[in-house]
């Protein structure tokens, strides 16, 4: 064994260190600040505990809270500390899983006590006590039998079930000790609990064991933690702002949509909400028409034969609604893609016909587990802005580049800056690995050719192909998963799709799946929260309202209403016998972009006094001038300034 090893850092610098050096010692050699901030170490692409020893030449990155992987380690360790506190307060507690999530962490626990808001405070206080002790997180490997024996003695049947689910009985498992608390965990964890500085437990919900509705109900405790108090304060302020923007609350107040127990997890769209839906639909169709898409529509109820052929029956059946008709099994479609192949096969295709771009605004149904549902953001009935492109191999790069541009154009319109992830082959994937490799390489090349920075999400592709996932951040900094572009070599194989090439040979096309909004329901839910219900004028259900200050001005107000209505402006006329100040306050609550106030002065000069939501009085405008201004704002789909 060499006495020294070569370590390569993210900036390309290479330094020599003694063999057997730990990540902590490498951090110490760089700066005292890094010793404080380092949470874990990434060695040749794998995240490890910071005290991991290095004996070979390696490429490393010292992870801090600035890194997504550093946050994950911080939050996962926080869930471990929370479990320790729960066990102290509720001896005999049993523990399911406690992962880091996108924002924070949770742990599923089985305790003979309903956890209350007061209990959350007690758990927080106990966590603070334990964190002050700064006990190290110590990893210990053992055999499966040793781990089973340990959790038998402890009486934790949830951990025992997880251990018994492991198929490879020779597999070693890891336990992490932190003080007198021991947890079954792959890790990695922080060097010690003292690094967990500021935290808040947020809520408790019911979560069925392993996500199966008939399994035992557990209590899922959610929390968030940060190394700096300012970050915690900022996050909690964001949560308060999010409550004000909750799309379910605004949907009712603004009369956009609502939910009813008669149809769980499927929205009832109200007239004002349908205006937003239709405006998005109109904009989408106009854009796709210009880009050479052809719109199709396929049946909602389909025989299971189609889903068996596509692979959905094997890989997605638990998420499908099935029913029996005339002694045959049917399913409500969860996706449009298999049926688009039926459309493709209606006639023989030539290489000259490709690319074929079929768009479909299709109604889908997915049997999502109840714990995953949430307002418009996760529903069982989905309206997808779907499209399936059938292309030759030489067209893949150009088509995906065009789709990436399309995504950017759409999201810029709403003030979003998209970020990109490349999601690769999942563990349970169908098809030839070589086709998967080709598909992943093609997506990578398209991202690189467009100069787009992206992260790789290993194993998060669809079961039939890798994908580019798009995320956006809203007005208060929350990330949302939206658009997706998937490259699929599998479906054309399964459905034996063909085209005739220039040499009269039969060839397989490649299929590209894409959605821009993701779904209308989810996207409108996101937009409602992003704009806090104050939609851009082109999307607003009511674009302006005319407010006469008394009966003497009703006739002039009616003239204004008629002019705007005839020019396709969504306008209301408020003739209620109320003071104008009261009316203004009422319409402010409805978040209507413009109020046109008319009285004697306005009537005599053929003017309107204009108020803008959130900005107040803009002054007087000639009637024709303001009509031109609002028409221009709508036509160019401008955001509010």
């Amino acid at each position: 064994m060499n006495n020294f090893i070569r370590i390569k850092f993210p900036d390309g610098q290479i330094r020599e260190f003694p063999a057997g050096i730990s990540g902590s010692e490498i951090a110490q050699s760089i700066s005292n600040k890094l010793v404080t901030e380092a949470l874990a170490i990434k060695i040749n692409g794998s995240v490890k505990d910071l005290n991991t020893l290095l004996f070979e030449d390696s490429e490393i990155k010292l992870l801090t809270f600035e890194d997504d992987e550093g946050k994950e380690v911080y939050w996962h360790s926080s869930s471990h500390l929370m479990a320790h506190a729960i066990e102290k307060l509720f001896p005999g507690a049993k523990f399911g899983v406690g992962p880091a999530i996108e924002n924070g962490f949770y742990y599923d626990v089985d305790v003979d006590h309903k956890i209350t808001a007061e209990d959350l405070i007690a758990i927080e206080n106990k966590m603070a006590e334990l964190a002050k002790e700064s006990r190290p997180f110590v990893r210990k490997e053992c055999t499966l039998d040793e781990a089973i024996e340990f959790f038998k003695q402890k009486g934790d049947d949830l951990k025992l079930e997880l251990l018994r689910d492991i198929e490879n009985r020779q597999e070693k498992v890891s336990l992490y000790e932190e003080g007198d608390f021991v947890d079954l965990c792959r890790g990695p964890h922080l060097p010690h609990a003292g690094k967990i500085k500021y935290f808040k437990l947020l809520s408790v919900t019911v979560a069925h064991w392993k996500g199966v509705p008939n399994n035992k109900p557990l209590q899922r405790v959610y929390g968030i933690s940060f190394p700096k108090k300012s970050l915690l304060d900022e996050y909690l302020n964001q949560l308060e702002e999010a409550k004000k923007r909750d799309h379910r609350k605004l949907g009712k107040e603004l009369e956009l949509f609502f939910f009813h127990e008669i149809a769980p997890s499927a929205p009832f769209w109200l007239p004002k909400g349908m205006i937003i839906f239709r405006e998005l639909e109109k904009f989408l169709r106009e854009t796709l028409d210009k880009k050479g898409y052809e719109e199709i529509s396929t049946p909602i109820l389909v025989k299971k034969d189609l889903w068996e052929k596509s692979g959905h029956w094997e890989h997605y059946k638990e998420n499908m609604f099935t029913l029996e008709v005339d002694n045959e099994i049917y399913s409500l479609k969860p996706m449009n893609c298999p049926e688009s192949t039926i459309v493709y096969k209606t006639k023989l295709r030539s290489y000259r016909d490709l690319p074929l771009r079929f768009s479909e605004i299709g109604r889908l149904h997915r049997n999502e587990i109840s714990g995953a549902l949430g307002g418009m953001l996760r529903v069982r009935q989905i309206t997808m802005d779907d499209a399936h492109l059938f292309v030759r191999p030489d067209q893949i790069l150009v088509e995906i580049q065009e789709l990436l541009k399309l995504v950017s154009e759409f999201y810029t319109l709403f003030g979003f800056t998209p970020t990109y992830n490349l999601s690769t082959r999942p563990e349970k994937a169908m098809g030839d690995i070589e086709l998967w490799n080709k598909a992943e390489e093609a997506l990578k090349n398209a991202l690189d050719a467009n100069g787009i920075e992206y992260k790789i999400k290993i194993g998060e592709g669809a079961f039939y192909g890798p994908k580019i996932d798009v995320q956006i951040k809203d007005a208060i900094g929350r990330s949302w998963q939206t658009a997706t572009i998937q490259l699929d070599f599998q479906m054309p194989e399964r459905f034996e799709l063909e085209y005739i090439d220039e040499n009269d040979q039969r060839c397989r096309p490649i299929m590209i799946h894409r959605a821009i909004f993701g779904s209308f329901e989810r996207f409108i839910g996101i937009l409602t929260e992003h704009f806090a219900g104050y939609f851009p004028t082109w999307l607003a259900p009511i674009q302006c309202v005319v407010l006469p200050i008394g009966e003497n001005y009703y006739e002039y107000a009616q003239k204004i209403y008629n002019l705007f209505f005839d020019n396709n402006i969504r306008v209301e006329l408020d003739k209620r016998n109320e003071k104008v100040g009261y009316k203004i306050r009422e319409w402010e609550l409805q978040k209507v972009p413009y109020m046109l106030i008319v009285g004697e002065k306005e009537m005599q000069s053929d003017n309107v006094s204009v108020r803008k939501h959130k900005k107040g009085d803009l002054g007087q405008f000639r009637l024709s001038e303001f009509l031109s201004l609002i028409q221009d704002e709508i036509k160019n789909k401008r955001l509010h300034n």
Side-chain angles (χ1 to χ4, degrees):
M1 183 184 294
N2 293 331
N3 290 330
F4 287 89
I5 56 174
R6 290 161 60 82
I7 298 296
K8 184 178 181 181
F9 292 88
D11 63 359
Q13 181 186 4
I14 296 174
R15 290 175 57 186
E16 285 195 342
F17 291 93
I21 193 169
S22 70
S24 298
E25 290 170 320
I26 293 174
Q28 182 72 62
S29 74
I30 296 171
S31 74
N32 289 331
K33 182 183 178 187
L34 189 55
V35 172
T36 303
E37 294 183 351
L39 306 175
I41 183 170
K42 192 172 185 179
I43 305 172
N44 300 325
S46 296
V47 181
K48 305 285 186 184
D49 296 323
L50 194 60
N51 59 10
T52 300
L53 305 181
L54 289 88
F55 293 97
E56 297 177 347
D57 295 350
S58 302
E59 187 170 337
I60 73 158
K61 181 179 182 182
L62 292 162
L63 301 172
T64 70
F65 199 78
E66 295 293 315
D67 303 293
D68 288 344
E69 290 153 314
K71 286 187 178 75
E72 187 173 346
V73 172
Y74 196 91
W75 287 334
H76 185 41
S77 301
S78 299
S79 77
H80 181 113
L81 182 68
M82 180 177 72
H84 189 177
I86 290 171
E87 188 173 78
K88 286 284 188 188
L89 293 170
F90 305 101
K94 299 170 185 178
F95 297 94
V97 293
I101 52 178
E102 185 177 358
N103 283 302
F105 55 90
Y106 70 76
Y107 220 123
D108 289 342
V109 299
D110 181 12
V111 294
D112 189 21
H113 171 82
K114 181 174 173 57
I115 297 175
T116 64
E118 291 74 21
D119 293 324
L120 293 184
I121 294 169
I123 296 167
E124 280 179 18
N125 292 337
K126 183 58 69 174
M127 287 174 70
E129 286 177 30
L130 296 169
K132 281 180 183 175
E133 294 174 7
S134 293
R135 302 278 187 178
F137 288 97
V138 180
R139 178 187 175 92
K140 293 189 176 180
E141 288 196 348
C142 62
T143 66
L144 205 52
D145 288 341
E146 287 170 336
I148 287 172
E149 184 57 33
F150 174 82
F151 285 103
K152 266 187 187 175
Q153 294 291 326
K154 191 176 181 185
D156 193 330
D157 53 353
L158 299 179
K159 294 297 185 188
L160 284 171
E161 190 173 334
L162 292 175
L163 289 165
R164 287 169 180 149
D165 285 344
I166 297 172
E167 293 179 6
N168 180 4
R169 307 313 293 172
Q170 305 307 312
E171 185 177 329
K172 290 262 188 178
V173 296
S174 58
L175 305 180
Y176 273 84
E177 294 180 2
E178 181 258 320
D180 57 359
F181 181 70
V182 181
D183 203 2
L184 173 69
C185 185
R186 289 193 182 94
H189 278 299
L190 299 172
H192 58 83
K195 281 189 174 282
I196 303 169
K197 300 288 188 184
Y198 302 97
F199 41 82
K200 180 72 177 173
L201 301 188
L202 302 170
S203 62
V204 185
T205 62
V206 174
H208 291 276
W209 176 229
K210 295 183 177 178
V212 178
N214 292 330
N215 279 357
K216 184 174 188 176
L218 306 175
Q219 296 185 77
R220 177 170 292 179
V221 185
Y222 285 95
I224 190 74
S225 58
F226 294 96
K228 295 179 182 176
K229 187 175 185 301
S230 59
L231 293 174
L232 177 61
D233 290 342
E234 182 183 333
Y235 182 80
L236 295 178
N237 287 337
Q238 185 189 79
L239 285 185
E240 285 303 309
E241 181 62 27
K243 286 179 186 175
K244 298 175 193 171
R245 294 169 177 259
D246 189 320
H247 70 278
R248 289 162 293 196
K249 172 176 169 284
L250 289 172
K252 283 184 181 177
E253 291 174 357
L254 302 179
E255 299 179 359
L256 305 177
F257 46 75
F258 68 93
F259 291 86
H260 193 282
E261 61 186 14
I262 202 71
S265 303
F268 283 75
W269 289 96
L270 294 169
K272 289 179 183 176
M274 278 306 297
I275 288 172
I276 299 170
F277 194 110
R278 289 171 57 194
E279 285 294 333
L280 290 173
E281 197 174 25
K282 178 184 172 187
F283 169 58
L284 178 72
R285 284 194 165 107
E286 288 174 351
T287 303
L288 297 185
D289 286 348
K290 290 174 187 173
K291 294 191 178 291
Y293 283 74
E294 300 173 88
E295 186 167 350
I296 63 173
S297 180
T298 59
I300 289 176
L301 190 62
V302 188
K303 290 181 180 180
K304 82 166 184 177
D305 303 22
L306 181 79
W307 309 114
E308 287 177 327
K309 193 166 187 177
S310 69
H312 286 82
W313 202 254
E314 178 186 353
H315 294 274
Y316 204 75
K317 182 183 175 184
E318 68 276 9
N319 293 104
M320 297 167 69
F321 289 103
T322 59
L323 63 160
E324 189 173 323
V325 181
D326 296 334
N327 298 318
E328 287 196 74
I329 301 299
Y330 285 71
S331 169
L332 296 173
K333 65 176 176 179
M335 298 179 186
N336 294 309
C337 37
E339 290 181 78
S340 71
T341 68
I342 305 298
V343 176
Y344 181 92
K345 290 188 77 169
T346 52
K347 64 180 183 180
L348 186 63
R349 308 289 179 176
S350 159
Y351 72 97
R352 293 188 185 92
D353 297 327
L354 305 185
L356 268 177
R357 306 181 187 98
F358 291 145
S359 66
E360 178 169 11
I361 299 175
R363 184 63 58 82
L364 308 178
H365 294 82
R366 296 178 183 174
N367 190 11
E368 304 279 6
I369 60 173
S370 58
L373 299 166
M376 300 283 271
L377 305 178
R378 196 75 176 263
V379 291
R380 286 180 173 147
Q381 179 177 285
I382 309 161
T383 311
M384 185 77 75
D385 69 311
D386 223 344
H388 297 94
L389 288 66
F390 299 90
V391 303
R392 306 189 307 261
D394 61 296
Q395 295 171 328
I396 292 174
L397 184 61
V398 170
E399 288 300 313
I400 293 177
Q401 283 182 289
E402 286 301 311
L403 287 174
L404 290 169
K405 289 176 187 173
L406 185 64
V407 167
S408 181
E409 288 169 14
F410 265 63
Y411 284 108
T412 300
L413 182 67
F414 301 100
F416 297 127
T417 301
T419 57
Y420 300 84
N421 303 298
L422 175 57
S423 298
T424 62
R425 183 168 57 94
E427 188 178 333
K428 293 183 179 179
M430 71 179 190
D432 183 355
I433 193 169
E434 288 303 316
L435 293 178
W436 272 90
N437 292 340
K438 282 173 66 177
E440 287 176 10
E441 188 65 23
L443 291 179
K444 183 178 182 298
N445 289 341
L447 288 162
D448 291 339
N450 276 37
I452 291 173
E453 291 185 13
Y454 59 94
K455 293 176 182 175
I456 294 178
K457 290 191 170 181
I458 296 170
E460 294 194 22
F463 67 85
Y464 50 80
K467 57 181 179 172
I468 296 170
D469 288 321
V470 180
Q471 286 187 296
I472 54 175
K473 278 195 174 179
D474 67 13
I476 58 173
R478 297 171 300 177
S479 290
W480 302 97
Q481 168 75 52
T482 49
T484 182
I485 301 168
Q486 302 170 0
L487 191 56
D488 181 3
F489 287 80
Q490 313 296 337
M491 211 72 72
E493 283 287 334
R494 285 186 165 243
F495 285 93
E496 300 175 336
L497 305 186
E498 293 179 335
Y499 67 91
I500 306 301
D501 73 6
E502 58 269 38
N503 299 314
D504 288 332
Q505 299 297 309
R506 291 180 179 269
C507 302
R508 287 270 185 268
I510 295 95
M511 196 170 172
I512 301 172
H513 311 239
R514 76 102 188 97
I516 305 297
F517 297 142
S519 80
F520 280 84
E521 289 79 7
R522 179 175 170 80
F523 192 67
I524 291 173
I526 292 169
L527 285 185
T528 303
E529 298 199 2
H530 175 62
F531 292 119
Y534 176 34
F535 295 98
T537 305
W538 71 276
L539 270 182
I542 301 170
Q543 293 167 325
C544 68
V545 58
V546 185
L547 304 180
I549 64 173
E551 289 184 22
N552 294 340
Y553 314 108
Y554 283 0
E555 186 177 339
Y556 180 56
Q558 187 70 52
K559 171 189 167 183
I560 296 169
Y561 171 87
N562 293 342
L563 175 67
F564 279 66
F565 183 85
D566 291 344
N567 280 276
N568 299 314
I569 308 298
R570 294 190 289 273
V571 59
E572 293 283 337
L573 173 56
D574 188 346
K575 289 184 177 180
R576 289 179 299 166
N577 186 23
E578 300 284 357
K579 291 183 178 178
V580 73
Y582 174 84
K583 293 182 183 181
I584 288 171
R585 287 192 296 275
E586 288 266 295
W587 289 105
E588 282 286 346
L589 290 173
Q590 287 297 303
K591 303 177 189 289
V592 174
Y594 293 102
M595 294 178 226
L596 310 183
I597 299 161
V598 294
E600 183 68 28
K601 188 165 52 174
E602 288 80 15
M603 186 173 69
Q604 293 302 325
S605 56
D606 207 27
N607 285 353
V608 286
S609 289
V610 179
R611 282 186 66 90
K612 188 168 186 179
H613 179 65
K614 295 178 78 174
K615 290 221 167 181
D617 186 16
L618 300 184
Q620 287 204 4
F621 289 78
R622 297 289 299 171
L623 195 51
S624 57
E625 178 191 4
F626 181 72
L627 177 60
S628 295
L629 287 172
I630 195 171
Q631 285 177 322
D632 181 69
E633 185 176 335
I634 292 166
K635 178 183 176 183
N636 291 293
K637 296 179 169 59
R638 291 201 177 91
L639 293 172
H640 296 304
N641 51 34

